[in-house]
Amino acid sequence: MPLTLVIDPPEPGDWHGRLDVAEALEAAGWAGPDDGHLLRKGGAVWAVTNECDDSGLTCPNGATLDFPSDVPTVVIVAACLAAAATPST
């Protein structure tokens, strides 16, 4: 199922912090608190870690990945989808 993202740019002073990733993951069935900065699915957890748009992924097997703010959205989303599809051991 292809994911299509349409994101409005934030107003001056607003912070949307990796909203692009959050919306893609929510479209793929990830869920979390209403702010969209922490999402879970299949034992995997993705979260925005600071206001610089850094984020991280905790995999079901306990491995963790850190994504600096310059990591492309598609890379983060692909890693998250793969982690959620991998059974924990």
Side-chain angles (χ1 to χ4, degrees), residues 3 5 18 20-21 24-25 30 46 55-57 59 65-83:
L3 298 174
L5 301 176
R18 295 316 315 224
D20 49 354
V21 174
L25 294 177
W30 289 56
W46 172 82
S55 64
L57 170 66
C59 300
L65 302 167
D66 293 318
F67 302 109
S69 61
D70 61 348
V71 173
T73 299
V74 67
V75 172
I76 298 171
V77 171
C80 290
L81 295 178

Side-chain angles (χ1 to χ4, degrees), residues 3-85:
L3 298 174
T4 303
L5 301 176
V6 178
I7 299 171
D8 296 325
E11 294 295 321
D14 286 348
W15 176 64
H16 285 192
R18 295 316 315 224
L19 183 61
D20 49 354
V21 174
E23 287 185 352
L25 294 177
E26 287 172 346
W30 289 56
D34 289 338
D35 65 7
H37 292 110
L38 179 114
L39 298 170
R40 295 182 171 100
K41 183 174 182 184
V45 179
W46 172 82
V48 175
T49 56
N50 59 41
E51 289 188 9
C52 294
D53 288 344
D54 297 339
S55 64
L57 170 66
T58 302
C59 300
N61 67 1
T64 59
L65 302 167
D66 293 318
F67 302 109
S69 61
D70 61 348
V71 173
T73 299
V74 67
V75 172
I76 298 171
V77 171
C80 290
L81 295 178

